[in-house]
Amino acid sequence: MSVVFCDVVGSTELGDSTDPEALRALLARYFDRMRGIVEGHGGSVEKFIGDAVMAVFGVPSVHEDDALRACRAAVEMRDAFAGLGIEGRLGVSTGEVVTGTVERLATGDALNVAARLQQAAQPGEVLVESTTRLMAGEAIDVEALEPLALKGKQEPVPAFRLIAAREAGERSHDLVFVGRERELAVLDDAWSRAMAENRCELVTVVGDAGLGKSRLVAEALRRVHGRVVRGRCPPYGAGITYWPVVEIVKQLDALPSDPAAASAIRSLLGGDEGTSADEIAWAFRKLLEEHAPLVVLFDDVQWGEETFLDLVEHVALLSSGAPILILCMTRPELLDIRPSWPVAFRLAPLSDNDTDALISTRVPTDLGQRIAAAAAGNPLFIGEMLALAGDGDADIDVPATLKALLAARLDQLDARERRVLEGAAVEGELFHRGAVQVLVPDELQLSPRLAALARRELIRSERPQLTGEDGFRFRHLLVRDAAYSGLPKAIRADLHERYASWIERRGSELVERDEIVGYHLEQAARYKEELGQPDASLAERAGAHLAAAGRTAAWRGDDRTAAGLLQRALSLTRPMHLDVMTELDLASVLAERDPTQGAAVAESAAQRANAAGDATGELLARVGAAAHRTEFAEDVAIDELERLARAALPLLERAENHAGLAYVWSFLGSTVANFRGRNEQWAHAAERAIHHGRLAGHVRRDLFHLPSALMFGPRPADEAILTLDALLPDNPHPDPVLCRAVLLAMLGRSAEADEIARDFAARLRDLTGDDDAEFHLGLIAATSGRHQDAVTHLHRFCDLLEARGQRGYLSSFAPMLGRSLCELDRHDEAEPLAQLGRELGDVHDTACQALWRQVQARVEARRGRLAEAERLAREAVAINERTDDVNGQGDALWDLAEILSLGGHLDQAETTLVQALERYERKKNLAQAAQVQARLAAFRGSSAIR
């Protein structure tokens, strides 16, 4: 067994300088952290001795890589000290011990040596002796030290400083590595570029199963002097988006230093903080950059969800200033999903010469020739065939395909070994001892069976996903598939259901537990249905988990994953009953891309609710259908949508359907009230939606667009800020904070607003790579009277909208830019922007319809066409008066006053400007109120002179 001794440096001095209660809390965190690390690597804490921790690897369960597990744990324990605010030192030793006595570990030189090595180590060091170094092999990096004179040892003990410890490389029947010189050069060059230029390199290796992608990458990584972290996309259960990301976060065992990024990672790991897919990608990039130089290895990328693929591309495109190599391994199917995905090379079969070199003299010539002919350059086929050949029996049959070969390999197994392997295959490529025990409950010798399968090179030890478990991995996914395919469907159904129940109880630490449990229950339900034994309760359980996972994905903005999960849930439950809320959740995520599809799903749910006599469900679904129709129908039936929504509210209140209430209030705000320019109604509806959403367990990062409603609505700016501050989380998304900055600018706190806006604009740019915050920066500048700055920011934002093809938004923002140009007397530049708003704007868009008239009126007035200018300006005032956008009303009145003054109507201009001042003061827009007061003083001065 292997022993790790860990101790705190300077604990006596720490006790003298630290409050006893604080010290107790610190040591409790230290012991908990150390125990978690040890158990995460498959070891156990034997005892705490004062401030020291003694951990053992190999008792009670023996693993073939216990020495390496001990080294990996020791490195992680060493690295964890900084986060605890203390220093420590460690010693690792491997050898025989006597166990099973009263004190369990009674005697053994390994215990003494580990303790002495720990005492000899410097703060922050891990020392290991020669047996540990030998057994851990090339998976650890060490520096040789002068032999140490340790107490109780007659001779100096060879010792090594442990620098790093990696996962054990995957063995492949001791096959030599042959060929692939060009491919290795590509990977070497990518790492060299990343290091030399402090940049992120994305390299993708494409190849069919068995062609040696993993073996090639393992060979390349032997040449890399840097940390390697690995994540694998699971081959089962679409919708498991962040599994490979979570694997890497756990290996790094850290959070980003930026509080907002740390919050996003905590949310990803199952915390309460809400987050979005964009924020997760940004936070993950920050984490990688802080741990560079780094190789990030993603395997089986062809099974990755589109949101995961977006994340990889985000890191590759936006990461800067840190050497990172993102190395993806994938089958060719990825290119069907993402044809534009950058591919370094496609791995070809081995050449005849390389095939011969791989087979070499391992088998008789005739058998070697038959293997080479059947393998067609596939290294996995060659390795499996050599393992099947055993002692080189030349009469052995050579299967025609890799699938047949793997089946033949499994046929060689003892019946009990095969049963264990088949049970493991139900969990997946990575599996846990506890799961296998549940799936094969009558196997009383599970550890020896697993050891035998490891000796046969069918499985290997692996870091577990669950604390306190032993983890294993199939040596190749195709081996797992071969074992699984041998199970009858009836047995598969039973095993999937049993595994789902086990992971429900045992897998609380899994981030995507609903997706995993839902998948296995779904498999069980499908198999039973195929066998003519449908199980309604099983389908219901599967549907509930998949629907919960779908909602979680939707709340973080991962609409594509959400749609897939919700469709799978409904396909299971629709034959049995109607779930209106899940139907509407699906309609909403589909409507993000195709509103007609979303409306169709909601309408279908309404018809089924009507047939079932569910009046509340029917009304709720008709609200959804009407809301989605407003996004594409020429005849926008806002009145009908409001009528349906108002009728639904009391029914939903009586049913205490908080999810439904949040749904209806969201449309009453962002669709009905927003369409009519009734911002205070929008804000009220958003506040009700937030309230009911929280009762339903739903926290939306966008706060149902409440920040925009408060920014444009009549609620005084200081009250609006108080409302926002009560709702914003500790680490909010930049969008609501930028709205808050605009409100600060209204209050005349322009310096504070500018500072906040600059910081969060930079954060938003870092988050998305785009300059969406230019709108807020422009609005702050215009509010503060800095129209040259406003022009700069709004011009950038309009260019961004043009580049995206978002001409609907451009219809409002182009005239907004034009208005600031008019303030700078650049009327010729402003006119095309007014006309762009006129051409692109929807007739129902009050902001657009008012703004283009205001700008064109200013242009006409400068040209001396005062009657036309006044007509347009008064139309703009009338349009704004139909809304409660008091800032917009003030702007329109101000523009009218300027036109009246140019015509010499100073008394009317003054009266109009007083009306504008009243609007700004009602909003508590002190910045623009001060500007109007200055203009009024100028008017009154002119009147006095006259």
Side-chain angles (χ1 to χ4, degrees), residues 413 810 873 882:
L413 296 176
L810 192 61
R882 297 200 296 267

Side-chain angles (χ1 to χ4, degrees), residues 530-543:
E530 290 176 17
L531 294 169
Q533 303 166 5
D535 187 327
S537 65
L538 198 59
E540 288 280 6
R541 285 177 63 200

Side-chain angles (χ1 to χ4, degrees), residues 579-719:
D579 183 346
V580 172
M581 204 62 245
T582 301
E583 297 279 1
L584 295 180
D585 288 334
L586 174 61
S588 294
V589 296
L590 292 175
E592 288 294 322
R593 290 194 167 189
D594 185 356
T596 60
Q597 196 176 6
V601 170
E603 185 60 41
S604 175
Q607 293 171 4
R608 290 182 61 203
N610 175 269
D614 179 2
T616 302
E618 179 187 3
L619 198 52
L620 180 59
R622 295 207 182 282
V623 169
H628 296 312
R629 277 199 300 273
T630 65
E631 300 176 47
F632 65 86
E634 292 184 7
D635 181 18
V636 182
I638 291 294
D639 290 343
E640 176 67 7
L641 171 58
E642 183 175 23
R643 184 189 67 78
L644 291 168
R646 296 288 178 192
L649 287 176
L651 299 180
L652 295 166
E653 290 279 5
R654 282 198 292 273
E656 297 184 349
N657 184 342
H658 295 292
L661 285 164
Y663 185 81
V664 172
W665 277 115
S666 71
F667 287 127
L668 280 171
S670 60
T671 304
V672 175
N674 182 27
F675 178 85
R676 292 179 173 151
R678 300 296 179 184
N679 293 285
E680 184 56 30
Q681 292 179 13
W682 182 7
H684 170 73
E687 288 171 311
R688 298 306 301 158
I690 291 168
H691 169 72
H692 289 292
R694 286 180 171 173
L695 291 175
H698 176 183
V699 180
R700 269 179 49 168
R701 293 284 274 173
D702 64 4
L703 298 176
F704 294 92
H705 305 290
L706 174 63
S708 294
L710 293 173
M711 185 170 66
F712 291 115
R715 195 175 302 187
D718 53 351
E719 293 181 24

Side-chain angles (χ1 to χ4, degrees), residues 812 815-816 819 834 846-856 876:
S812 294
M816 188 182 294
R819 188 169 184 273
T846 55
C848 165
Q849 294 302 324
L851 274 168
W852 80 256
R853 284 174 168 84
Q854 289 168 237
V855 176
Q856 190 63 41

Side-chain angles (χ1 to χ4, degrees), residues 92-270:
V92 184
S93 178
T94 301
E96 291 185 351
V97 299
V98 177
T99 185
T101 61
V102 174
E103 294 183 359
R104 188 173 178 194
L105 294 177
T107 59
D109 193 48
L111 280 70
N112 299 326
V113 171
R116 301 300 180 219
L117 287 171
Q118 175 268 128
Q119 293 168 359
Q122 295 298 311
E125 275 190 346
V126 181
L127 299 187
V128 303
E129 43 68 62
S130 55
T131 304
T132 301
R133 182 204 176 195
L134 178 66
M135 296 187 70
E138 294 183 356
I140 64 172
D141 296 331
V142 297
E143 291 179 357
L145 303 175
E146 290 293 326
L148 299 176
L150 300 182
K151 184 178 179 180
K153 304 295 291 183
Q154 295 182 355
E155 299 293 333
V157 174
F160 304 84
R161 181 183 296 113
L162 179 59
I163 306 301
R166 299 176 291 277
E167 298 289 337
E170 186 174 340
R171 291 178 295 156
S172 183
H173 304 305
D174 298 323
L175 294 181
V176 296
F177 183 79
V178 299
R180 311 297 197 197
E181 289 83 2
R182 182 184 69 83
E183 293 86 351
L184 281 172
V186 170
L187 300 180
D188 288 345
D189 290 345
W191 176 245
S192 297
R193 281 196 306 275
M195 291 294 291
E197 301 175 22
N198 260 2
R199 55 178 289 182
C200 181
E201 287 280 327
L202 171 61
V203 177
T204 302
V205 180
V206 178
D208 290 315
L211 282 184
K213 299 185 295 294
S214 298
R215 184 69 178 88
L216 167 69
V217 168
E219 187 68 20
L221 292 181
R222 291 178 59 189
R223 313 176 185 201
V224 168
H225 298 292
R227 189 173 184 183
V228 180
V229 288
R230 305 163 189 263
R232 183 183 298 261
C233 299
Y236 59 89
I240 304 178
T241 303
Y242 290 110
W243 184 280
V245 176
V246 170
E247 282 190 302
I248 286 172
V249 170
K250 288 183 176 180
Q251 288 166 50
L252 293 175
D253 191 31
L255 293 173
S257 58
D258 184 290
S263 176
I265 295 296
R266 280 195 298 269
S267 177
L268 177 64
L269 296 175

